[in-house]
Amino acid sequence: MDTSVHENFHALGLSEALLGDLVKAGYTSPTPIQTQAIPPAMAGRDVIGCAQTGTGKTAAFVIPIIERLAVLPKGQPQALILAPTRELALQILATIEKLGAGRRISATAIMGGADMQAQVRGLRQRPDIIVATPGRLLDHMWNGTVNLAPIKILVLDEADRMLDMGFAPQINQILDALPEERQTLLFSATLPADLTRLVQASVNNPVKVMVTPSATTADGVSQALHHTTHDGKADLLVALLGQEQDTVLVFTRTKHRADKLGRVLDRVGHKVAVLHGDRSLSQRRAALEGFKRGTFRVLVATDIAARGIDVANIGHVINFDLPNSPEDYVHRIGRTARMKTTGRATSFVTAEDSLQLRAIEQLLGHAVPLAPGSASPSFNAHAPRGLQRSGRPAQGRPSGQRDRRYAGHGAPRGEQPVQRTPGN
Ligand code: AMP
């Protein structure tokens, strides 16, 4: 067995069985969020973790859950993990299966868009952990097919995104159904003001752990801008794709634009998949799996569908359309340069985008430089005061305000939770 893993993770007081699974998973040393969050979580404390996808936050809550549940009597679900999207729920499930094998910890996923009866069968197996999106979990609660009374550990993963997606009412109903006597671990990329009520309602005397921006995902991302027009974007993209071999994740603003762009790229011979909330779960799985395996070199996605995408080798993120909020820009470029490798992020900008670009650069604290060969002096007029745009790609991650709220960021269609009351 790899002794370095023992030395590094051993300090966290983990069992031999779990250490063995960490070796198999290729985890050599704990990430900063793991070093900080695992000890208090293993000791039963409530934890608020401020960390984005890509920092190792999933294992930061999965590892202590596995260790705590392994020593409890089996036979009923004792941990509940709530996540905003199906993709994230499936990734958490995969992490539990990977790291929980030696400790014989089982889990099932409950999410919208998947077969309800299959989920009922999964619940009847009495898994140790339930991973769920809030809306579908409520469906099961109303149907009486899930019982939350035995839950001892609750995780709220990507809590800020769950609120952004309008899940607050569902989360409140789930909190009401959970035993008050429990441990809660709340993870969020940002800690905006409206998370305070959820924090007050869910955690008790929490330990706060935070990974500083410099330790998170986007270190090593070189960012660049391409000036173009609305109609010139597709040609520009095709030209850029022709110049490289990297795997590329392309973001569009709407599902319709994602579909349309997918067809264009397919026609010119690119191996492309499309991921958005109107696609069926099996289509989304096929797109992600194909992208991971390399069957598709290009994945065209919308923000919500791409949330939590965990593909290690994305070399280039292209913002075909700028995102609606500056925070989404940071989330998007965090899809590349995962776990300390380097990556590129290129944004297409039209004259109409100047205000959005300005907001992004204000959040970043620096201007995004022009890509080689792209020049539009008129755009420099829109750079935030004091921020100079250069022709050199910017390295590194934004410093500055991380607790800013998404402005007017509604739930995209297809991901919108349906609000219902029992009996309806
Ligand atoms: P997450 O932030 O949970 O989405 O994790 C991002 C990626 O990092 C996933 O592919 C994990 O499998 C991987 N990962 C998490 N912790 C470690 C670790 N300690 N060493 C190596 N890889 C890790």
Side-chain angles (χ1 to χ4, degrees):
M1 193 169 284
D2 183 340
T3 50
S4 64
V5 173
H6 275 228
E7 279 158 23
N8 288 322
F9 275 105
H10 219 252
L12 301 178
L14 307 182
S15 64
E16 287 297 318
L18 183 47
L19 288 171
D21 283 329
L22 289 170
V23 175
K24 281 191 209 139
Y27 292 12
T28 46
S29 55
T31 65
I33 192 73
Q34 291 163 5
T35 308
Q36 294 175 55
I38 291 173
M42 295 245 294
R45 293 285 304 269
D46 282 5
V47 173
I48 296 180
C50 189
Q52 292 194 8
T53 304
T55 54
K57 71 172 168 64
T58 312
F61 60 77
V62 164
I63 289 172
I65 291 177
I66 290 171
E67 294 290 43
R68 296 205 71 209
L69 296 193
V71 295
L72 295 178
K74 297 247 177 196
Q76 44 194 6
Q78 298 188 82
L80 170 67
I81 301 172
L82 290 180
T85 64
R86 313 165 205 191
E87 278 73 22
L88 190 58
L90 288 174
Q91 274 169 26
I92 295 167
L93 184 69
T95 304
I96 297 169
E97 283 167 356
K98 201 162 57 178
L99 302 183
R103 285 297 231 165
R104 304 194 182 288
I105 293 297
S106 59
T108 198
I110 301 279
M111 67 252 168
D115 180 19
M116 195 83 184
Q117 282 316 310
Q119 292 174 357
V120 172
R121 286 194 295 277
L123 287 166
R124 283 203 193 116
Q125 306 282 315
R126 299 174 182 272
D128 301 302
I129 305 175
I130 298 172
V131 186
T133 54
R136 178 56 67 92
L137 180 65
L138 266 192
D139 290 342
H140 281 279
M141 286 161 61
W142 287 320
N143 290 348
T145 43
V146 68
N147 173 18
L148 300 185
I151 297 293
K152 295 196 169 55
I153 308 174
L154 167 71
V155 177
L156 296 162
D157 191 20
E158 305 207 345
D160 53 349
R161 182 57 68 133
M162 287 200 280
L163 293 188
D164 280 340
M165 290 173 68
F167 279 130
Q170 286 83 352
I171 293 173
N172 282 330
Q173 290 179 61
I174 293 166
L175 287 176
D176 283 347
L178 286 167
E180 276 201 23
E181 198 59 33
R182 60 160 200 268
Q183 178 184 20
T184 303
L185 311 172
L186 183 150
F187 283 79
S188 192
T190 55
L191 294 176
D194 66 355
L195 203 66
T196 316
R197 272 180 45 215
L198 177 62
V199 166
Q200 278 165 357
S202 59
V203 300
N204 182 15
N205 189 22
V207 175
K208 293 196 181 115
V209 299
M210 208 168 271
V211 288
T212 57
S214 62
T216 57
T217 48
D219 279 336
V221 181
S222 38
Q223 303 166 56
L225 290 184
H226 263 286
H227 291 297
T228 180
T229 57
H230 190 76
D231 294 338
K233 287 183 177 183
D235 286 344
L236 176 59
L237 180 62
V238 169
L240 289 184
L241 290 178
Q243 290 164 14
E244 64 174 294
Q245 302 299 318
D246 255 341
T247 41
V248 182
L249 175 59
V250 181
F251 283 98
T252 61
R253 198 151 29 216
T254 65
K255 296 164 191 171
H256 175 69
R257 284 172 66 73
D259 282 333
K260 206 167 129 192
L261 186 60
R263 285 193 295 272
V264 170
L265 297 181
D266 185 55
R267 259 203 309 275
V268 296
H270 287 292
K271 291 178 179 153
V272 57
V274 177
L275 188 72
H276 60 61
D278 277 354
R279 308 217 91 200
S280 69
L281 192 55
S282 60
Q283 285 174 320
R284 290 161 74 159
R285 264 196 205 134
L288 260 182
E289 285 306 310
F291 188 54
K292 276 187 188 168
R293 276 198 310 271
T295 318
F296 306 116
R297 178 167 78 97
V298 184
L299 180 67
V300 181
T302 55
D303 286 289
I304 289 293
R307 178 75 181 168
I309 282 184
D310 180 18
V311 180
N313 58 345
I314 297 173
H316 196 175
V317 168
I318 296 182
N319 292 316
F320 188 81
D321 299 317
L322 280 189
N324 288 327
S325 77
E327 285 84 356
D328 273 341
Y329 176 87
V330 175
H331 285 305
R332 285 181 180 189
I333 70 170
R335 302 304 90 215
T336 184
R338 314 262 301 155
M339 298 310 289
K340 293 187 182 155
T341 59
T342 55
R344 288 169 298 138
T346 302
S347 300
F348 292 0
V349 214
T350 68
E352 296 80 52
D353 292 330
S354 59
L355 283 180
Q356 268 161 285
L357 177 60
R358 188 191 175 115
I360 288 167
E361 292 182 325
Q362 262 162 355
L363 179 66
L364 295 174
H366 61 77
V368 182
L370 293 176
S374 177
S376 174
S378 62
F379 264 78
N380 277 331
H382 301 294
R385 211 185 293 274
L387 299 179
Q388 299 263 304
R389 198 186 310 287
S390 76
R392 221 162 11 94
Q395 285 282 341
R397 144 148 223 113
S399 59
Q401 322 89 308
R402 283 171 46 71
D403 57 347
R404 289 171 22 158
R405 195 75 191 113
Y406 286 56
H409 186 73
R413 273 183 45 238
E415 299 286 354
Q416 196 128 25
V418 184
Q419 215 180 319
R420 284 156 43 185
T421 46
N424 274 356

